[in-house]
Amino acid sequence: MPYYIGDVIKDERSLIARTPEQFKKSGIDVLLKTRAEQVDHEARIVRLSTGATLPYDHLVVATGAQAVMPGIPGQDLPGVFTLRTLQDAVRMKSCIREKDCRKAAILGAGFIAMEMSEALSNLGMEVELIQRDTVAIKRWAPELVEVVLRTFAEKRIAFHVDTRATSIEMVDGGKLRIVTDRGNIETDLVLIAIGIRPDVNMAKELGLAIGDSGAVRVNAAQQTSVEGIYSVGDCCEVYHRVARRPLYFPLGDIANKQGRIAGRNIGGRPAVFPGIVGAQSFKFFDLELAATGLSEEEATRYGFSPAAAIAWGPPVARLMASEEDGETGLKLIADRSTGLLLGAQAVGRKDPVKKINALSVALWYGARLDEPAFMDFAYSPPFGGPWDLIHITAQLLLRTL
Ligand SMILES: Cc1cc2nc3c(=O)[nH]c(=O)nc-3n(C[C@H](O)[C@H](O)[C@H](O)COP(=O)(O)OP(=O)(O)OC[C@H]3O[C@@H](n4cnc5c(N)ncnc54)[C@H](O)[C@@H]3O)c2cc1C
């Protein structure tokens, strides 16, 4: 959606993965503009907003997530958006065009806020980010975040940390004013991107067990605590193989896999969802940011005693490196007592996602840090040195364990 708003993707129809007609060909009826109002699981019936009822044998709760709102006056004013659905994206793009918006303010500094700041800036708009925390991109090592902050400065995107928005007001000429504890910001458009929470309203009505994360608890077959009811996607938890517990990890690739597992189990071809290691990535202008496993703070929370090291290196052999390639920063986190690899974060222009995917495989199989320190990676000068940045960082960290 950020790429649609930023005009990289021109036609919103290309964002529709499958139309109701295409679903129909697979024997699936899609009821658009229809809300499941109430479920009677005893009678196995769903009551719809159209007044109709739908009988079922198995029920899948896939209600997704809702945007967290700041709870401030003015958050519902015209020109203030959240970005959850394609309709949100279409509304926002039309508003930018119709009002000829020149300036946008974004509350939040997570991956959606970052992607949107790039999209809006590429449209030629002035962009300001407002972040309540004192640090930017909280989960990340400050040394790696430094690179992102430099990009903000280069792109002239203002980034206000430790700043709390207290209200949004409509001012003359249809403009908006964000009142913060550090002064006011005038803008044409506001995007609220301060996080999401699982939509568990229906799950609670059905009496489904909710996990510590606040999302629906499921087993590896995607079954909930109530027989005959499954749950998948952003409304439910997922087993994290490194943390060794269910966590809330609302990402699209996970939702897809969970859906397939639930479908197979319902269809009589049993399957289990093996869990995740927390791999994630996003692009910010010419930077790739990617992470996997646990951060140090998360590792401590889940009972590990983490140690970490950061190393930097070019994405090609040093002799061939140009300024354009920049340097990739890689942080590795390992457990002092077991030597297990726990997590990784990377930022750079060319290869962070590749590195993080390789490390995700290592995490998936429960690697100790000494394994990636000598793991066999493909080497030729256009793609790096004989000692990959993963080897270098792992060996640096091994020396401290
Ligand atoms: C801007 C943006 C960028 C993203 N980028 C990435 C990315 O790069 N990589 C990634 O992995 N993930 C990304 N995600 C996350 C990804 O989109 C979600 O994880 C994924 O869409 C979750 O799918 P879902 O089906 O669980 O929930 P949703 O897609 O939210 O679908 C839930 C649906 O249920 C409907 N619903 C709820 N209650 C009812 C009811 N009672 N009756 C009928 N319908 C109901 C909702 O209207 C909604 O349509 C992004 C998300 C956003 C918003």
Side-chain angles (χ1 to χ4, degrees):
M1 288 188 282
Y3 301 101
Y4 163 69
I5 294 168
D7 234 13
V8 179
I9 297 169
K10 306 275 179 204
D11 183 355
E12 70 258 26
R13 283 173 302 185
S14 59
L15 291 175
I16 298 170
R18 244 197 279 183
T19 62
E21 295 72 35
Q22 287 164 329
F23 271 114
K24 186 82 187 162
K25 285 184 192 151
S26 315
I28 300 165
D29 288 329
V30 178
L31 306 178
L32 292 178
K33 297 184 180 160
T34 307
R35 197 179 156 73
E37 295 285 4
Q38 204 219 340
V39 180
D40 181 344
H41 191 54
E42 287 274 290
R44 307 237 162 177
I45 280 172
V46 183
R47 292 197 171 78
L48 304 176
S49 52
T50 54
T53 54
L54 209 58
Y56 67 85
D57 295 318
H58 303 274
L59 181 73
V60 181
V61 176
T63 45
Q66 291 170 340
V68 172
M69 296 302 283
I72 55 175
Q75 65 181 22
D76 300 319
L77 283 171
V80 181
F81 295 89
T82 56
L83 186 56
R84 283 297 309 155
T85 64
L86 185 52
Q87 291 92 313
D88 293 336
V90 170
R91 273 195 295 269
M92 194 166 165
K93 194 164 178 169
S94 316
C95 172
I96 292 169
R97 283 189 177 150
E98 281 157 24
K99 278 177 63 182
D100 188 23
C101 294
R102 298 294 162 100
K103 187 169 173 189
I106 301 176
L107 303 192
F111 84 91
I112 291 176
M114 307 283 279
E115 287 181 351
M116 281 304 300
S117 64
E118 175 185 345
L120 298 171
S121 168
N122 284 344
L123 288 177
M125 291 170 71
E126 197 186 324
V127 183
E128 299 200 35
L129 269 88
I130 301 161
Q131 153 85 318
R132 202 175 53 174
D133 288 311
T134 48
V135 285
I137 337 173
K138 228 171 151 189
R139 211 173 160 259
W140 289 70
E143 295 90 326
L144 303 184
V145 170
E146 199 49 49
V147 184
V148 178
L149 295 181
R150 279 206 297 274
T151 304
F152 273 125
E154 279 161 27
K155 300 292 174 184
R156 295 204 169 86
I157 296 176
F159 190 24
H160 308 281
V161 289
D162 198 16
T163 304
R164 185 178 288 262
T166 52
S167 67
I168 305 171
E169 299 167 353
M170 187 69 88
V171 290
D172 292 344
K175 284 202 177 295
L176 295 161
R177 177 187 295 135
I178 305 181
V179 180
T180 82
D181 56 359
R182 289 175 180 264
N184 299 341
I185 293 166
E186 297 225 341
T187 180
D188 296 316
L189 175 151
V190 178
L191 171 66
I192 296 176
I194 56 174
I196 57 168
R197 68 165 66 93
D199 182 342
V200 290
N201 293 327
M202 177 162 289
K204 283 185 175 166
E205 278 169 29
L206 283 161
L208 308 185
I210 303 294
D212 293 340
S213 68
V216 179
R217 191 188 298 157
V218 287
N219 65 15
Q222 299 302 134
Q223 288 161 325
T224 68
S225 58
V226 174
E227 193 272 319
I229 305 184
Y230 293 73
S231 186
V232 300
D234 281 9
C235 61
C236 75
E237 292 185 329
V238 60
Y239 182 74
H240 196 294
R241 294 167 68 108
V242 184
R244 297 180 192 149
R245 68 194 65 214
L247 295 177
Y248 185 52
F249 233 88
L251 286 175
D253 57 321
I254 301 170
N256 268 286
K257 292 171 194 146
Q258 290 178 321
R260 181 159 298 179
I261 297 292
R264 280 190 52 165
N265 287 310
I266 292 168
R269 286 199 302 136
V272 293
F273 186 55
I276 61 161
V277 292
Q280 55 197 288
S281 64
F282 68 94
K283 176 182 160 295
F284 184 58
F285 293 97
D286 62 351
L287 293 177
E288 286 178 20
L289 286 102
T292 187
L294 305 175
S295 67
E296 275 168 283
E297 194 250 313
E298 288 159 350
T300 307
R301 196 183 322 145
Y302 303 134
F304 296 100
S305 74
I310 297 180
W312 296 83
V316 296
R318 215 164 260 289
L319 278 175
M320 294 176 74
S322 69
E323 198 159 315
E324 248 174 49
D325 293 322
E327 295 236 317
T328 298
L330 177 67
K331 174 173 178 169
L332 290 182
I333 300 143
D335 185 38
R336 280 184 194 286
S337 46
T338 59
L340 281 174
L341 179 67
L342 294 178
Q345 303 174 353
V347 63
R349 293 202 186 128
K350 268 193 178 163
D351 58 357
V353 173
K354 279 185 261 169
K355 300 230 177 298
I356 290 300
N357 280 339
L359 288 159
S360 291
V361 176
L363 283 170
W364 184 272
Y365 291 107
R368 290 184 323 273
L369 181 66
D370 56 344
E371 295 176 277
F374 287 93
M375 207 165 258
D376 188 15
F377 294 122
Y379 157 63
S380 65
F383 306 113
W387 290 100
D388 190 273
L389 188 59
I390 295 178
H391 299 134
I392 294 167
T393 319
Q395 295 190 14
L396 188 66
L397 180 52
L398 269 177
R399 289 200 278 277
T400 72
L401 290 188

